[in-house]
Amino acid sequence: KAGIDEVIIYCVNDGAVMGAWADDLGVEHSEAGDEEGRITFFADPAGALTHRLDMEMTHSGPASVGIIGRCKRFAVYAVNGEVKYVAVSEAEDDPAGDGDPSATLPPAVMDGILKLNDEL
């Protein structure tokens, strides 16, 4: 109903860590370009994609304890490369969205996508 062909999970980390994460979760065919897969784990080791998407966590809290170059917790729905929906889990006192990640969890994202599709 939502018309989702692929889910891409990425973070500012290296490919080995992302592969191990996929393996730990039991996700098969998680490599980019694997036609059998529907969930792709993607590494952004230098934070280039994070920077281009303007999703760098710049809050002073994480940086003050040595967490630098981290990505915000977010979800994007794109159709043919055009971004249709964006959700970010963050608050002034919780820049990582750890306390309330609900805006970027599947139920909220699916609700947003389905509402968007209903409007079209």
Side-chain angles (χ1 to χ4, degrees):
K1 185 174 180 181
I4 296 172
D5 296 323
E6 181 179 23
V7 173
I8 300 172
I9 299 171
Y10 96 94
C11 71
V12 179
N13 221 316
D14 62 65
V17 169
M18 296 306 289
W21 188 12
D23 290 344
D24 186 60
L25 294 173
V27 177
E28 297 179 0
H29 308 288
S30 64
E31 297 290 323
D34 187 329
E35 295 297 321
E36 294 184 46
R38 294 287 176 244
I39 300 176
T40 300
F41 281 71
F42 176 78
D44 185 22
L49 179 60
T50 299
H51 178 74
R52 294 281 304 203
L53 292 173
D54 195 26
M55 288 292 171
E56 293 172 291
M57 190 183 322
T58 57
H59 190 280
S60 61
S64 71
V65 294
I67 301 173
I68 299 169
R70 211 170 144 197
C71 180
K72 294 180 181 183
R73 183 185 311 263
F74 73 100
V76 172
Y77 173 63
V79 177
N80 296 323
E82 182 181 343
V83 174
K84 302 285 188 176
Y85 175 84
V86 177
V88 180
S89 289
E90 67 180 340
E92 184 60 35
D93 62 340
D94 182 18
D98 293 334
D100 181 13
S102 61
T104 54
L105 294 178
V109 174
M110 289 303 300
D111 284 348
I113 292 169
L114 293 173
K115 285 177 187 171
L116 176 71
N117 287 344
D118 286 345
E119 294 172 7
L120 298 178

